[in-house]
Amino acid sequence: MIPVQGVDGHCVAVLGLGRSGLSAARALRAGGADVLCWDDNPAAREGAAEEGFDIRQFRSAEDFADVASLIVSPGIPHLYPEPNKVVAAAQEAGVPVDNDIGLFFRSLATSEWDNLDTTPRVIAVTGSNGKSTTSALIHHILREAGRAAQLAGNIGRGVLDIDPPGEGGVVVLELSSYQTDLARALTPDVAVFTNLSPDHLDRHGGLGGYFAAKRRLFAEGGPDRAIIGVDEPEGLFLAGQLAEAPGDDRVIRVSVDRKLTGPGWQVFARKGFLSEYRKGRQVASIDLRRIKGLPGAHNHQNACCAFAACRTLGLNPKAIEAAMQSFAGLPHRSQMVAEKDGVRFVNDSKATNVDAALMALLAFERIRWICGGLEKEGGLAGLKDGLGHVTKAYVIGREAAAFAVQLEGVEVEVCTTMSHAVMRAMEDAQSGETVLLAPAAASFDQYDSFERRGEDFIAEVKARL
């Protein structure tokens, strides 16, 4: 646990008692705070009370008279589409609002670090797609190379649940826009921006607000090194804002669209080969085609970002390549489930938006595509470049028929349920084809998470093999 600093004797409120909220409450108590907790879920309140936390319902600004700050869980809106009523009351009372990420960054460093030869480092990864795989891959490479590393944030453990890092330790954080948007402290040593595509637009008041939330990790934090995917205008803009000159190697540009040139530090992938260039000269190369856990251009981008992050910590390219070979990938992200009679079954349930689904479609040929769910803003036009890889689409979800009519030029079967879609895809599939779950939509019309959707796909496949 990371005890929160600067709260001894203060009264601090915690709103939302899920994983991050409870870990924040525990860390605040360990730092000497008097902690008040609230969650609209009675079971969550009961669980916190059993741990000895005081429960208080906050109805108005007057309820915050003795509160020094409010810590809010990531899923609770603080501005758009409208502030949560408790957050609004705290703001009306002038009470600062923060989250567990802000508490982490202000509490990680201690006086004990003065006795360390190599101080701990924090690598923070954000972006629309690929941040989980990138974070997990960095963590895997570091561990394989013998470095002490912990994985936390939006993946793995809550940030305040981790062990205080010791000599040369590295903390790898995956951070969502919900987390970067509100944190009052953001000071990573290395910050990674994978890419940007429209997502969570209602929560951020549009694409500009969404990008601004991501940008805070770099603008507020001032990392020693910034690794920026430059295949979208926003990433290119961000890299330009951070660099002092074309040769400023504090900014590492990453691409899977083109070869990067110039006097700076670049990492890019073309035709399955990762290349590292510094001062206009190639210094390293990796054949990514042989790495089974990283299929497709989207995973090659993840590999480039992870490679660059590990290079900033002094790892040599051969060690990074060797570690990548043993990376198995993450569940629900281009996860190979099974193979039978020449047909592969791949679970990419995490492809909850159009850009992520497009990358999955481009990673395979001759696809029996299971898609559909709770459609996000912007429609499905962005899938056009990948539809040529689709032999047939099997659409699930409550609005499957409406989803299906947007898939122009593709043979479509409306299945509604996962069970029916898997059954029909398996009946139709031929050797050399891939049955791919890449929904291009959220899961909440039928499942409570993309994980449950992916687990259902896996169960249906295995039941029929």
Side-chain angles (χ1 to χ4, degrees):
M1 180 187 294
I2 307 292
V4 177
Q5 298 184 37
V7 296
D8 188 22
H10 295 178
C11 180
V12 180
V14 175
L15 177 63
L17 298 172
R19 184 190 65 162
S20 65
L22 269 180
S23 66
R26 295 171 187 135
L28 284 161
R29 182 164 61 185
D34 297 322
V35 183
L36 302 175
C37 294
W38 181 257
D39 192 298
D40 289 340
N41 185 339
R45 297 197 300 269
E46 182 179 346
E50 289 175 355
E51 292 194 34
F53 290 108
D54 293 331
I55 306 300
R56 176 189 292 184
Q57 185 172 9
F58 298 89
R59 297 184 177 87
S60 66
E62 287 71 25
D63 293 324
F64 284 93
D66 58 342
V67 174
S69 61
L70 172 66
I71 308 305
V72 178
S73 293
I76 299 173
H78 58 274
L79 186 56
Y80 300 115
E82 63 180 65
N84 176 276
K85 292 181 180 179
V86 175
V87 176
Q91 293 169 337
E92 182 69 25
V95 171
V97 180
D98 202 352
N99 62 15
D100 62 329
I101 304 301
L103 297 179
F104 168 84
F105 276 113
R106 85 183 202 198
S107 303
L108 182 63
T110 67
S111 59
E112 295 177 3
W113 287 22
D114 295 337
N115 301 318
L116 301 177
D117 293 326
T118 304
T119 57
R121 308 289 295 279
V122 177
I123 300 174
V125 181
T126 195
S128 296
N129 300 309
K131 56 184 178 292
S132 294
T133 297
T134 299
S135 301
L137 181 56
I138 293 169
H139 178 255
H140 175 80
I141 293 169
L142 292 171
R143 295 291 296 270
E144 289 293 299
R147 301 287 292 269
Q150 300 180 77
L151 182 63
N154 206 42
I155 186 174
R157 302 163 68 184
V159 292
L160 294 168
D161 274 341
I162 68 170
D163 302 322
E167 182 72 36
V170 182
V171 178
V172 184
L173 300 181
E174 178 199 340
L175 298 182
S176 71
S177 59
Y178 293 179
Q179 293 169 311
T180 58
D181 196 20
L182 189 59
R184 295 173 66 89
L186 287 166
T187 54
D189 299 285
V190 180
V192 180
F193 177 88
T194 59
N195 52 59
L196 192 85
S197 62
D199 208 356
H200 309 304
L201 301 189
D202 60 335
R203 177 68 180 266
H204 296 291
L207 184 60
Y210 178 51
F211 174 55
K214 302 286 189 184
R215 182 181 173 275
R216 289 192 75 245
L217 182 64
F218 304 85
E220 301 289 334
D224 297 332
R225 300 279 189 185
I227 298 159
I228 311 293
V230 295
D231 288 338
E232 293 87 31
E234 292 85 358
L236 198 60
F237 171 80
L238 180 58
Q241 279 203 313
L242 296 173
E244 295 292 336
D248 186 352
D249 67 1
R250 294 174 303 170
V251 178
I252 305 173
R253 291 170 171 83
V254 167
S255 176
V256 290
D257 280 353
R258 63 193 184 279
K259 177 180 179 179
L260 298 176
T261 60
W265 192 348
Q266 292 103 11
V267 179
F268 59 89
R270 296 182 70 203
K271 298 181 179 179
F273 286 87
L274 179 154
S275 296
E276 177 187 9
Y277 273 67
R278 295 200 200 186
K279 298 180 180 179
R281 299 180 61 183
Q282 183 172 341
V283 296
S285 178
I286 295 176
D287 184 355
L288 297 173
R289 299 171 304 174
R290 300 184 294 111
I291 301 175
K292 294 183 178 180
L294 296 167
H298 60 308
N299 275 312
H300 293 175
Q301 183 182 59
N302 300 335
C304 287
C305 290
F307 176 91
C310 292
R311 291 287 280 146
T312 68
L313 299 185
L315 274 67
N316 69 66
K318 292 296 183 184
I320 296 173
E321 180 177 10
M324 284 182 175
Q325 295 288 351
S326 61
F327 181 67
L330 290 178
H332 315 297
R333 299 160 175 88
S334 296
Q335 177 189 10
M336 185 70 72
V337 173
E339 183 170 357
K340 184 179 181 181
D341 299 331
V343 178
R344 293 180 294 181
F345 299 86
V346 177
N347 166 29
D348 203 338
S349 183
K350 184 61 172 66
T352 59
N353 60 44
V354 166
D355 278 19
L358 174 62
M359 292 299 101
L361 293 179
L362 293 174
F364 304 97
E365 300 287 344
R366 300 174 57 194
I367 298 169
R368 300 282 173 177
W369 179 32
I370 299 176
C371 58
L374 190 62
E375 188 179 336
K376 295 187 176 180
E377 292 183 29
L380 305 179
L383 292 168
K384 182 179 179 180
D385 290 344
L387 296 182
H389 292 212
V390 177
T391 302
K392 183 177 177 180
Y394 307 80
V395 185
I396 64 173
R398 293 179 187 170
E399 304 297 329
F403 194 98
V405 298
Q406 300 182 65
L407 303 177
E408 297 181 5
V410 176
E411 182 182 355
V412 175
E413 182 173 339
V414 174
C415 297
T416 307
T417 67
M418 183 70 73
S419 176
H420 188 60
V422 170
M423 178 187 71
R424 291 293 300 121
M426 293 182 76
E427 288 174 350
D428 292 345
Q430 300 177 22
S431 179
E433 295 182 339
T434 298
V435 176
L436 170 68
L437 171 65
S443 62
F444 302 121
D445 59 333
Q446 292 181 306
Y447 303 93
D448 59 10
S449 67
F450 72 84
E451 291 96 342
R452 282 291 304 119
R453 177 171 58 191
E455 290 162 3
D456 192 19
F457 171 76
I458 293 170
E460 292 292 343
V461 168
K462 291 187 175 181
R464 289 175 168 80
L465 289 180

